Amino acid sequence: MCVDCVKEEFPCRDTMCLEDGSYLLNFSRCARCQELGNLSIEDKYCSEDESGLELITYQHVCPNCGHIIASHEYSFTVEDGYMLYTMSCALCGEAEDQRSVLPYDDRQRSFF
């Protein structure tokens, strides 16, 4: 991770968990070559363990000079009837989200 390449380290992204892509609004510029533009995604690795946890990791890399901007980690699992998502990345931020596997979620019931 390069703190000089991002505007804010690990910004709070609430429930916005991304398994792919780059949060370019937080990209300042490459500290090595000073270029500003799209980033490459390299060394992408997907794994799943016996409990069903899916883990995706990759690196945000400057396509001009190969400088590693940040490492991205995304996870997904299903527990107790809820899909759980997490993301942690110096560029894209930190986030967590939960969604019911059922069409109706009792936790989001509105009372009138």
Side-chain angles (χ1 to χ4, degrees):
M1 172 190 76
C2 183
V3 297
D4 297 325
C5 297
V6 297
K7 295 176 184 174
E8 179 184 351
E9 291 180 65
F10 299 97
C12 178
R13 298 292 304 278
D14 294 321
T15 61
M16 179 64 67
C17 296
L18 305 171
E19 66 182 88
D20 199 7
S22 303
Y23 182 44
L24 293 178
L25 289 176
N26 193 37
F27 180 49
S28 177
R29 67 181 56 244
C30 178
R32 182 182 293 165
C33 70
Q34 301 303 309
E35 288 293 315
L36 178 63
N38 288 331
L39 298 175
S40 297
I41 291 176
E42 296 184 9
D43 299 326
K44 189 168 184 176
Y45 180 74
C46 303
S47 65
E48 187 173 340
D49 66 14
E50 61 280 344
S51 69
L53 175 69
E54 179 182 320
L55 182 63
I56 298 174
T57 58
Y58 59 87
Q59 295 180 329
H60 298 283
V61 177
C62 174
N64 191 45
C65 69
H67 179 66
I68 297 172
I69 308 300
S71 296
H72 190 103
E73 185 175 290
Y74 166 87
S75 68
F76 168 78
T77 191
V78 177
E79 283 184 17
D80 300 325
Y82 289 91
M83 298 177 287
L84 308 174
Y85 305 87
T86 64
M87 175 183 74
S88 180
C89 176
L91 174 69
C92 299
E94 293 186 314
E96 293 183 358
D97 194 13
Q98 279 188 10
R99 303 290 171 171
S100 175
V101 296
L102 301 173
Y104 180 73
D105 187 351
D106 284 335
R107 297 178 312 166
Q108 296 179 358
R109 177 185 289 166
S110 62
F111 297 96
F112 295 101

